[in-house]
Amino acid sequence: MGWDALPLVHADDDRPVIERRAVLRGGFYETQARTMIERVPRTAGIAQRWAVSPYRGCAHACRGCGARAGHRRLGLDSGRDFDTRVVVKPNAVARLRAELGRWGGEPIAVGVTGDCYQEAERTYRLMPGLVEALAGAGVAFTVYTKSPLVLRDAGLLARTGAQVAVSIAFVDERIRRAVEPGAVGGQARLELVSALVEAGVACRVLMAPVLPLLSDAADQLSATVRRIAAAGAAAVEPVVLRLPAGTRQWYMSWLAGAHPRLVERYEELYDAAGLPSPEYERRITGQIGQLCEMYGMRSGAPEQVERVPRFPQLSLV
C-alpha cells in the first residue's frame, strides 16, 4: 500500500490539524492515539458511559451519526469530510492494553466515533486485538456495528463473550438509501443478525436512529420489529435520532432539501442540545417496547454490570 508522509510544517501552516499531525497512507489518516478510552457524550443515547473507537469518521455516511462533531476538532468539516476522510489509530491495541491496566471495570462500547468494522478495518485489522485486550482484562463490552465484516471475527467474539449490537433502525430501503448511503441494506443486516446468533455470538439490535416523521409510523415500527424478531435477535435497544452540534447542521441541511415541510416540526421537536422531546421519545420507545413484548423480545438498554478487572490497579501515588 502506497503512502505519503505529510511534511513538517511551519507555525503559519493553515492546513487542517489532522494533516499536520498524521501520515496519509492508502487514503486513510494515521495518527497515534494519546488515549483510547473516552467518555461517551450524553447525547449518544447508548447505555455505556465509556467507549473505545479505533476509527474516527465513517464511510457509511449516515446523515444522523452523532459522532460528526469530532471531525471539527481535527480541522475538518462534520459533513463530507466525516464520510470520506477517516482517521485511523494504528497504536490502538497497545494504547488500550496500557489503559486497561488502570481500568476500574466499567462496561465499554466499541465503535462510537466510527463503525469499528467499516472498510478501513479490512486494511488495519485492529478489532481482533482490541477484542482480545478487553476480554483479557475482564471488561464487559459491546461492539456497535452495521457491517457484515464483523462476521470475520464471529468465532473470537463468541469465545470471548462479547456483546454485539447491530444497528437496524428501519427496513425501508428508500429511507436507507437516503440517510445511510454507504451502509449495507436492512436485509443484509437482518441476515447478519441471524448469522451472528447461529455462530453463538450474543447479539441484539440497536434500533437507531428512529427518524421522527420519516420512519416512526406505527406500520413502519411494526414491520421493523417483526423482521428483527424473525432474524433471531433476543433484544432491541431503541434510540430516537439525536442531533448534537455538527450532526444537526448536516442532517437539517439534507432535510431542508429532501423534506422541506418537516424542518419547522424538527425545530420544535429538538432542544438546543440536540435531544428530542421527552414526551415524543417516551411514546416511540413505548410503542417499540409493546411490539417487542408481542414478538417475545426484550426492549430497552441492557443492564450494565461492572466486573472486577483482572489486571491489578496501579497506584496513583
Side-chain angles (χ1 to χ4, degrees):
M1 177 173 57
W3 63 278
D4 298 305
L6 299 176
L8 295 176
V9 297
H10 300 290
D12 60 352
D13 194 325
D14 61 356
R15 291 177 304 159
V17 173
I18 190 61
E19 292 191 0
R20 302 200 301 267
R21 295 179 178 174
V23 170
L24 182 61
R25 193 191 306 266
F28 301 108
Y29 291 99
E30 292 185 2
T31 185
Q32 299 299 303
R34 296 178 181 176
T35 182
M36 281 302 298
I37 303 177
E38 302 175 314
R39 188 175 292 277
V40 175
R42 73 179 186 87
T43 55
I46 61 175
Q48 296 84 0
R49 296 193 302 166
W50 300 94
V52 167
S53 299
Y55 308 107
R56 186 177 296 278
C58 188
H60 291 161
C62 301
R63 297 186 186 277
C65 180
R68 289 183 173 276
H71 257 46
R72 290 179 170 180
R73 294 190 290 273
L74 304 176
L76 303 173
D77 71 59
S78 59
R80 186 79 50 198
D81 283 349
F82 181 86
D83 302 340
T84 60
R85 304 173 81 171
V86 175
V87 179
V88 180
K89 305 169 185 177
N91 67 328
V93 176
R95 184 66 251 160
L96 177 61
R97 288 188 185 279
E99 292 174 25
L100 287 174
R102 303 184 297 274
W103 192 240
E106 285 191 78
I108 287 177
V110 183
V112 171
T113 64
D115 195 312
C116 50
Y117 280 102
Q118 62 178 293
E119 193 62 27
E121 174 63 14
R122 293 187 190 277
T123 299
Y124 288 92
R125 297 184 64 89
L126 295 173
M127 281 302 295
L130 294 176
V131 169
E132 290 171 349
L134 289 163
V139 176
F141 63 99
T142 299
V143 173
Y144 288 88
T145 185
K146 57 186 66 172
S147 170
L149 181 58
V150 68
L151 286 174
R152 182 199 68 192
D153 297 338
L156 174 63
L157 293 165
R159 187 168 64 254
T160 56
Q163 295 275 335
V164 175
V166 177
S167 175
I168 306 173
F170 36 77
V171 291
D172 188 324
E173 272 299 284
R174 293 171 300 176
I175 297 176
R176 198 278 307 166
R177 286 192 293 269
V179 300
E180 299 177 345
V184 299
Q187 180 59 36
R189 283 182 245 172
L190 290 165
E191 293 171 2
L192 170 59
V193 170
S194 296
L196 287 168
V197 171
E198 186 175 353
V201 178
C203 180
R204 69 178 188 273
V205 167
L206 183 72
M207 196 167 163
V210 177
L211 305 176
L213 312 173
L214 291 173
S215 70
D216 62 350
D219 59 338
Q220 291 172 304
L221 298 178
S222 178
T224 302
V225 173
R226 174 175 53 80
R227 291 181 65 182
I228 290 171
V236 170
E237 183 179 353
V239 179
V240 172
L241 174 71
R242 265 70 172 151
L243 293 175
T247 302
R248 187 173 195 140
Q249 293 86 334
W250 186 243
Y251 183 87
M252 293 300 288
S253 175
W254 166 78
L255 191 71
H259 304 280
R261 295 182 181 180
L262 298 183
V263 171
E264 184 176 353
R265 297 174 70 182
Y266 264 74
E267 290 174 346
E268 295 171 352
L269 185 63
Y270 282 86
D271 65 17
L275 295 174
S277 156
E279 293 76 17
Y280 171 82
E281 188 167 33
R282 280 195 295 270
R283 176 169 66 83
I284 295 301
T285 56
Q287 285 181 256
I288 294 172
Q290 290 176 350
L291 289 165
C292 287
E293 185 175 1
M294 182 187 307
Y295 287 105
M297 295 186 294
R298 298 187 302 276
S299 177
E303 182 181 358
Q304 298 298 293
V305 179
E306 291 190 28
R307 297 177 181 172
V308 178
R310 292 177 185 160
F311 298 144
Q313 287 205 330
L314 303 179
S315 173
L316 299 178
V317 181

